Amino acid sequence: MGANVLIGGVDVMMSKEEFERRFAVNYKSAKLKDRGNKKWTAMMLPEHVAELRTDEANYDKVDRPQLNQYDMEYIQDEIQRAVTSKSEVTLRFWMNGEFKYRKGTIEEVNLMKRYIDVEDPFDTSRYNFDDIVGIQLEG
């Protein structure tokens, strides 16, 4: 079944399939490429742009969780159990607004300076007690 279509001011008779094919080709070629926020930065003050970038960088950040006494005792018991059995642990710690996970064995616990050293097959890392928010013994 044909349809009358106005092309360039001329009434043209074409099939529905032909119309859809021509429309798809023309639509794809005329489609605009969106530049996101780039197109709006020219109309914004530099202070606004800087604030938007800071907000975007801080969007997924979370506040440091406040552990209660039971949570801290549980973490302390698990660290002690991991040190005595030399078993592998998965530490959950808070760093710069994000939760990170580290798997390894606890090599050293320094109660005076409040840190622990965790060794994995690649290196040894030091974590402050205040940053640790969870621990799980493996195996």
Side-chain angles (χ1 to χ4, degrees):
M1 183 100 195
N4 289 342
V5 179
L6 195 62
I7 298 178
V10 178
D11 194 18
V12 178
M13 180 81 167
M14 70 176 72
S15 68
K16 182 178 178 183
E17 292 81 21
E18 178 67 17
F19 173 76
E20 288 175 354
R21 186 186 64 78
R22 284 188 179 186
F23 177 77
V25 168
N26 290 334
Y27 177 74
K28 287 180 183 174
S29 66
K31 192 174 182 182
L32 296 175
K33 293 181 181 167
D34 188 20
R35 295 176 290 143
N37 283 340
K38 287 183 184 178
K39 64 184 172 188
W40 299 106
T41 55
M43 295 187 294
M44 298 170 69
L45 293 173
E47 295 85 9
H48 295 154
V49 175
E51 187 67 28
L52 283 173
R53 287 187 181 138
T54 330
D55 287 347
E56 185 177 347
N58 293 333
Y59 182 73
D60 291 332
K61 303 227 177 191
V62 293
D63 293 333
R64 180 189 302 263
Q66 298 296 320
L67 300 178
N68 60 26
Q69 186 66 29
Y70 300 111
D71 294 333
M72 293 189 309
E73 285 177 9
Y74 174 76
I75 290 172
Q76 180 182 353
D77 291 343
E78 292 295 299
I79 289 174
Q80 184 178 3
R81 198 172 301 140
V83 168
T84 56
S85 66
K86 289 287 187 189
S87 59
E88 193 169 86
V89 296
T90 301
L91 282 178
R92 179 178 184 223
F93 57 96
W94 183 89
M95 183 180 286
N96 299 327
E98 297 178 14
F99 290 111
K100 304 212 185 244
Y101 296 89
R102 179 66 185 260
K103 188 179 275 193
T105 56
I106 298 175
E107 291 299 313
E108 181 184 356
V109 177
N110 190 325
L111 297 175
M112 295 298 291
K113 295 183 180 177
R114 300 186 47 80
Y115 70 82
I116 64 172
D117 287 338
V118 178
E119 182 179 5
D120 68 2
F122 302 107
D123 66 347
T124 301
S125 300
R126 182 168 287 174
Y127 299 104
N128 190 346
F129 283 160
D130 299 329
D131 293 338
I132 299 171
V133 294
I135 185 169
Q136 180 178 356
L137 287 170
E138 300 295 321

